[in-house]
Amino acid sequence: MAAIPPRRSFSESARYHAAATQAIAGGVNSNVRLGAPLCFARAAGAHLTDIDGNTYIDYALGMGPAVLGHAHPRVIEAARRSLALGQMYAGQHPAELDLAELVKRLVPSAELVRFGMTGSEMIQAALRVARSHTGRAKIVKFEGHYHGWFDNVLAGAAADAGGDAPRYTAGVLTSGQMQSGVADLLVLPWNSIDALAHLFALHGREVAAVLMEPMMCNTGAILPRPGYLEAARRLCDEHGSVLIFDEVITGFRLGLAGAQGRFGVRPDLSTFAKAVGAGFPLALLAGRADIMSLIGSGRVNHSGTYNSNVMSIAAGIAALEVLAENDGHVMKHIDVAGQALMNGLKELGCKHGLNLQVSGVGAVFNTAFTDQREVHDFASFRCAREDRLNGFLQGLLARGIRPTSRGTWFVSAAHSESDIDATLIAADAALGEIQDLGK
Ligand code: PLP
């Protein structure tokens, strides 16, 4: 018999949500949060507290940014001190150069950088400059990868929506989005060298850029197959296309040089956000000097009122300094803690006779219930059992453990051994509860 979780009340969150829906569309400010009506009061380290006073060991971490844990004292202190200097000057300030030099030192492909506020907008800048550099229009993207909510990238394969769309046709994912907005996207399965080589054979001369998450964190935390990133690099070189790594999740999380450092493949351009600001709004585009110079010369427009605001830059410098200290000691801790959690969850899946697969790396991984032997792309991930995942997540939340609603877990520098132990005790009980769900 599974242990009965302690009773928790969510009445204040429910009251809040009812009031919020009268003032905020859907009661939330990002559609990703629809259907998750908890309201939070504060967060520190690895822990969150909601307005009913319930506490959680947090593995959502703001959907990734809080790589050092919530409210890391050095980041908060740097941001606090910056507030007295004013917030923005519509001009330069010395700290933005300090941060740029820090990024250049940590990420070898970052010959020049530009700062912004969100991952979505840096993706737009990357696509624009890639098109200017190549004089071509087409962008290759992959099923299950997310690159922000803007019209020209929010797309899956049209065939998935039914019908008999020609190969590689993109399909829009929200009402209000025009099919014309994705006309220059080519969408294909990720992690197949053959599929990418075939696309290049047909369309190589039209492809401005290949855009991908170098590890598919938005679907299943799926690693690139050996040789895949290298093949993408080679095909882009052969056809004069720009290789863009979207490191919004993986940057400063998979290592000090992101996924590109971990897997040893150098993109032409890359986008970073989330961890780089450790919770403050900060993003950046980095890449080859000859391509980035198109922005620098003014030929390609990249603008933004809030870009490089004083507080976000101060937070970014503090975050990267902490991450880089002692040869990346903090990043090693994150990987070790996350790996211990992954191993513990795998063992519990076996103990309960469940088809629990834990994929990814210590810093970001995913839990899914699937009989697929190898989950390597969007199609193989979609076979997973949603009822089991939802039951598991509900059981965890009832015990004060909070991964993301997709079953993705982010691990931070603040997660301690006792957090991991407490999480595994809760997971044991939550898995026990879903054993009876139909086979
Ligand atoms: N790219 C990736 C890989 C992401 O995961 C996200 C957001 O989750 C984005 C881009 C968009 O970033 P933002 O939400 O900061 O606009």
Side-chain angles (χ1 to χ4, degrees):
M1 268 275 284
I4 298 167
R7 283 183 74 80
R8 293 176 156 230
S9 164
F10 301 99
S11 57
E12 288 303 317
S13 270
R15 220 188 317 274
Y16 167 82
H17 187 63
T21 52
Q22 301 306 306
I24 299 170
V28 301
N29 284 297
S30 167
N31 273 27
V32 176
R33 299 174 202 157
L34 283 171
L38 284 184
C39 180
F40 295 97
R42 60 187 172 278
H47 300 129
L48 261 179
T49 306
D50 70 19
I51 59 173
D52 285 282
N54 301 307
T55 58
Y56 304 83
I57 302 176
D58 187 25
Y59 295 98
L61 297 180
M63 298 304 277
V67 67
L68 296 172
H70 294 283
H72 188 278
R74 277 179 51 194
V75 178
I76 297 299
E77 177 57 15
R80 193 190 63 73
R81 270 201 267 132
S82 80
L83 292 178
L85 306 174
Q87 282 67 58
M88 58 195 73
Y89 310 134
Q92 289 56 254
H93 57 106
E96 63 188 46
L97 175 57
D98 295 341
L99 182 55
E101 286 176 344
L102 200 46
V103 172
K104 276 171 59 96
R105 185 160 63 76
L106 297 175
V107 184
S109 74
E111 295 170 4
L112 286 172
V113 308
R114 264 291 173 96
F115 295 115
M117 299 287 285
T118 67
S120 293
E121 60 185 286
M122 298 330 292
I123 292 290
Q124 297 302 311
L127 300 187
R128 183 177 285 170
V129 76
R131 282 174 166 146
S132 170
H133 173 72
T134 56
R136 302 173 183 173
K138 300 282 184 211
I139 304 293
V140 175
K141 101 169 264 290
F142 299 88
E143 291 170 308
H145 292 225
Y146 177 71
H147 305 292
W149 62 283
F150 292 172
D151 275 353
N152 58 349
V153 284
L154 188 65
D160 288 342
D164 49 4
R167 202 166 188 184
Y168 308 130
T169 305
V172 299
L173 294 181
T174 174
S175 176
Q177 202 185 359
M178 297 292 118
Q179 189 59 35
S180 57
V182 294
D184 284 320
L185 272 190
L186 302 169
V187 180
L188 73 165
W190 188 63
N191 242 343
S192 161
I193 297 176
D194 286 350
L196 189 57
H198 191 254
L199 179 144
F200 265 108
L202 291 179
H203 299 285
R205 270 190 278 177
E206 302 159 77
V207 173
V210 172
L211 168 65
M212 69 167 79
E213 296 181 57
M215 169 180 163
M216 185 158 64
C217 293
N218 276 291
T219 300
I222 298 171
L223 289 162
R225 281 172 160 164
Y228 183 70
L229 299 181
E230 290 82 351
R233 176 69 277 171
R234 182 175 41 75
L235 286 164
C236 283
D237 287 342
E238 283 169 11
H239 293 86
S241 306
V242 174
L243 179 62
I244 307 172
F245 280 177
D246 179 348
E247 297 241 32
V248 164
I249 288 181
T250 50
F252 305 107
R253 174 166 284 285
L254 260 58
L256 288 171
Q260 53 195 276
R262 190 160 184 139
F263 302 126
V265 174
R266 185 178 173 119
D268 300 304
L269 295 174
S270 30
T271 54
F272 295 82
K274 300 201 189 250
V276 69
F280 286 83
L282 177 64
L284 65 98
L285 171 65
R288 266 169 52 186
D290 60 329
I291 302 179
M292 294 295 290
S293 296
L294 294 168
I295 297 177
S297 70
R299 184 166 145 191
V300 172
N301 185 302
H302 164 248
S303 309
T305 302
Y306 297 99
N307 291 356
S308 193
N309 72 83
V310 175
M311 179 192 66
S312 292
I313 296 290
I317 292 172
L320 295 197
E321 281 178 353
V322 175
L323 286 169
E325 261 169 21
N326 300 325
D327 201 20
H329 175 77
V330 160
M331 310 232 69
K332 286 174 198 143
H333 164 83
I334 294 173
D335 254 341
V336 169
Q339 196 60 56
L341 186 50
M342 289 176 78
N343 292 342
L345 288 167
K346 282 180 196 166
E347 279 169 25
L348 290 172
C350 293
K351 170 182 160 186
H352 290 280
L354 287 162
N355 55 354
L356 174 63
Q357 278 201 17
V358 186
S359 57
V361 297
V364 50
F365 64 87
N366 189 268
T367 43
F369 295 87
T370 179
D371 293 327
Q372 294 280 311
R373 219 160 37 88
E374 194 208 0
V375 177
H376 61 276
D377 64 4
F378 185 61
S380 50
F381 179 79
R382 274 202 314 192
C383 303
R385 289 270 303 259
E386 268 189 46
D387 57 342
R388 283 193 179 160
L389 178 65
N390 291 337
F392 180 45
L393 295 177
Q394 274 168 24
L396 287 172
L397 205 61
R399 293 171 173 83
I401 308 296
R402 183 178 183 248
T404 76
S405 57
R406 296 184 206 137
T408 303
W409 303 59
F410 293 102
V411 178
S412 78
H415 284 97
S416 64
E417 230 173 273
S418 63
D419 289 324
I420 305 296
D421 291 346
T423 303
L424 290 173
I425 290 170
D428 194 6
L431 289 170
E433 279 172 356
I434 60 167
Q435 259 178 332
D436 299 335
L437 284 178
K439 294 276 171 202

